[in-house]
Amino acid sequence: DPTPVSSMRAYFTQLVLWKFSSTWSLSGTSPDTFNLAQDSPIYGCIAKNAACVWEQKLWFLDSKGVCEFNGANTGIVSSKVEDIFKRMNVQAACQVATMTHVKERNEVWTAIPVDGATYCNMMVVYDYLASAWTTRTIAGNNYSAFGLMTPPKEKQRVFYGSESGMIGSYSSDLYG
């Protein structure tokens, strides 16, 4: 298959590899015991930074929405906010979409470009304590990566970066 790998993440004892529209897992302990298996011929991760592991779940961004891979099955989990993902600029999302687990807030954040934008201008948030989805407009911040960091003498918080080299962080009230 000549299509490139779009993303990869370690998940339990395997390495999960994605192409644009398929999911694969690599297991084994040495080149002699490696086993590559296709887990889904339908769902794939569209961007290198658009996957995260949280509380034994592996979520990733497909062109149709957020998917969950549980080691055996893959399926869409973001059906309640499907209208947002229908507005996603998939071509731009392949370059700039990003996802992270914000443990302190019990949320998974996914930043995507919508309505023809070429930068991430919408954040889709899943609160797993409330089992609820919400969205936030993030105009003015050109995200291409999220990361959890702990500044000196402070609590861990989410930092964001852009392709221009800008870096910022979120305070507890979600303003950068």
Side-chain angles (χ1 to χ4, degrees):
D1 182 355
T3 58
V5 171
S6 58
S7 186
M8 62 179 91
R9 288 289 182 279
Y11 182 61
F12 289 111
T13 60
Q14 57 192 340
L15 177 65
V16 178
L17 304 151
W18 290 281
K19 294 188 173 205
F20 185 81
S21 59
S22 63
T23 302
W24 300 76
S25 60
L26 178 67
S27 58
T29 56
S30 71
D32 296 333
T33 62
F34 283 159
N35 180 38
L36 181 64
Q38 185 176 29
D39 296 309
S40 173
I42 301 169
Y43 301 111
C45 186
I46 63 173
K48 66 181 176 184
N49 292 325
C52 73
V53 177
W54 62 278
E55 296 194 354
Q56 301 179 358
K57 296 178 187 243
L58 175 56
W59 279 19
F60 62 93
L61 180 63
D62 181 77
S63 61
K64 298 166 213 61
V66 176
C67 290
E68 178 179 305
F69 174 69
N70 64 13
N73 299 308
T74 304
I76 298 280
V77 293
S78 60
S79 300
K80 292 182 180 179
V81 287
E82 181 181 6
D83 58 321
I84 295 296
F85 291 104
K86 285 182 177 179
R87 294 170 39 202
M88 180 171 58
N89 179 349
V90 176
Q91 187 175 6
C94 291
Q95 302 299 315
V96 298
T98 186
M99 180 185 292
T100 194
H101 173 217
V102 185
K103 188 173 184 175
E104 183 179 271
R105 300 183 60 83
N106 304 306
E107 295 175 339
V108 177
W109 294 1
T110 306
I112 59 171
V114 297
D115 301 330
T118 57
Y119 58 92
C120 294
N121 59 352
M122 179 68 68
M123 189 180 318
V124 182
V125 178
Y126 178 70
D127 182 327
Y128 52 85
L129 288 184
S131 295
W133 291 89
T134 189
T135 59
R136 295 185 183 109
T137 302
I138 52 175
N141 296 322
N142 185 2
Y143 299 150
S144 58
F146 280 136
L148 296 172
M149 296 184 227
T150 307
K153 300 180 183 177
E154 293 185 36
K155 286 183 165 182
Q156 186 180 56
R157 62 180 189 229
V158 177
F159 281 75
Y160 57 87
S162 73
E163 293 174 344
S164 67
M166 180 192 77
I167 189 169
S169 70
Y170 277 103
S171 62
S172 59
D173 58 4
L174 291 179
Y175 288 100

